[in-house]
Amino acid sequence: MIFLNTHIDLFILKTDGEKFTSTNKKTLHLIFKAEINKCMASVDNAPTMPHITVEGMKKSISSLKLNKSPGHDGVLAEHIVYGGDDLQVHLTLLFNAMMRHAYVPSELGKSVIIPLFKDKCSDNSRVDAYRGITLCSTIAKLFELILLDLYNDQLCSDDLQFGFKKQSGCSHALFTFKETVRYFTVKSGKVYCVFLDASKAFDKVLHNGLFVKVLKRNVSIDFVRLLMNWYGKLTGCFVE
């Protein structure tokens, strides 16, 4: 229960050390909503909605990782990988319909959160000794793979971002950092470094604010509408 209450508190917005009231939350939501509507009205992008093919479905299914825990529905990656051609056709029809109507079933927004003990040598009565691991629906993971493949060209990030990108990681970031420091020290220059560690940063992202930024980067409106519908249905339950 302590872990549950602590995890829930992550999603309560705070300012100046105080929790937002429900009125403030609603006001913030309306501000972002108005900004989103303004972006949608001003963005001049009406590309043809991409269509999912059975071949594309097979490609994404082959990317699913096996031997992983299922979500709340108990569907494993193996069920989909070895489900046969008929299942692939039905999933293709389902995902195309979801994209066409910018609608994601609520079942794909459900997840199970399990507190995982991080260090066996630490005190297991401390909340910070646990890490919340979220188990999502395998079908939802497959839909994510499909969307990433279809909209990959619109989701480019800065060249100096090294995390959460294919063929990039900590080693590349460290190399860039060390070479930058070496360049200035060799020339007898001074190097000032700042390390910022944002606690639970991904858990505290304001979704509507994120949608505004994505729209301003001229990402497909249909894609953003789909994400807004999906994110509005995200729920989680704890299993001890």
Side-chain angles (χ1 to χ4, degrees):
M1 183 59 69
I2 296 177
F3 180 84
L4 173 62
N5 292 334
T6 302
H7 196 85
I8 290 175
D9 191 56
L10 291 176
F11 299 94
I12 299 179
L13 299 174
K14 298 180 180 181
T15 179
D16 298 329
E18 304 237 344
K19 294 181 180 179
F20 266 127
T21 64
S22 58
T23 303
N24 287 333
K25 290 182 189 178
K26 186 175 181 181
T27 301
L28 187 62
H29 174 76
L30 291 175
I31 291 174
F32 278 128
K33 194 71 174 178
E35 187 68 20
I36 290 173
N37 292 334
K38 185 169 70 174
C39 288
M40 286 186 170
S42 61
V43 173
D44 184 20
N45 66 342
T48 303
M49 182 180 297
H51 182 75
I52 305 171
T53 63
V54 176
E55 289 71 22
M57 178 63 67
K58 290 181 179 180
K59 175 185 174 183
S60 295
I61 289 177
S62 66
S63 299
L64 287 173
K65 296 180 180 179
L66 305 181
N67 301 315
K68 296 293 183 180
S69 299
H72 72 286
D73 53 11
V75 177
L76 294 164
E78 286 81 354
H79 292 144
I80 299 176
V81 171
Y82 304 116
D85 294 338
D86 288 345
L87 177 60
Q88 294 171 2
V89 172
H90 284 295
L91 286 173
T92 302
L93 293 172
L94 172 63
F95 288 173
N96 274 316
M98 289 163 57
M99 293 183 60
R100 176 71 60 182
H101 299 284
Y103 179 86
V104 177
S106 58
E107 289 297 310
L108 298 190
K110 295 180 180 179
S111 61
V112 178
I113 303 175
I114 300 177
L116 184 67
F117 196 44
K118 294 189 290 187
D119 186 359
K120 295 181 179 179
C121 298
S122 60
D123 184 1
N124 60 6
S125 65
R126 293 175 56 87
V127 176
D128 56 7
Y130 296 86
R131 177 187 295 110
I133 302 298
T134 304
L135 303 179
C136 301
S137 165
T138 305
I139 297 178
K141 292 179 182 178
L142 177 60
F143 190 45
E144 287 181 0
L145 291 173
I146 290 286
L147 293 177
L148 285 174
D149 184 56
L150 293 176
Y151 293 100
N152 183 59
D153 59 329
Q154 300 183 34
L155 301 176
C156 300
S157 59
D158 192 279
D159 291 337
L160 293 178
Q161 176 184 329
F162 299 97
F164 306 97
K165 295 173 67 174
K166 286 185 177 180
Q167 301 178 342
S168 178
C170 291
S171 59
H172 299 86
L174 288 173
F175 175 78
T176 304
F177 172 74
K178 290 172 66 176
E179 288 300 302
T180 302
V181 172
R182 188 184 68 82
Y183 174 83
F184 286 102
T185 54
V186 167
K187 294 181 179 294
S188 301
K190 293 183 178 180
V191 180
Y192 299 93
C193 302
V194 176
F195 296 90
L196 176 64
D197 183 11
S199 176
K200 307 296 182 183
F202 283 93
D203 295 329
K204 297 178 180 178
V205 170
L206 297 175
H207 293 162
N208 283 336
L210 181 62
F211 297 143
V212 170
K213 289 183 177 294
V214 170
L215 283 169
K216 288 184 176 179
R217 294 189 59 178
N218 209 35
V219 172
S220 170
I221 292 178
D222 293 324
F223 180 42
V224 176
R225 283 178 177 150
L226 181 67
L227 291 180
M228 290 176 63
N229 182 272
W230 196 354
Y231 273 63
K233 297 175 180 176
L234 296 181
T235 58
C237 64
F238 282 83
V239 177
E240 297 184 2

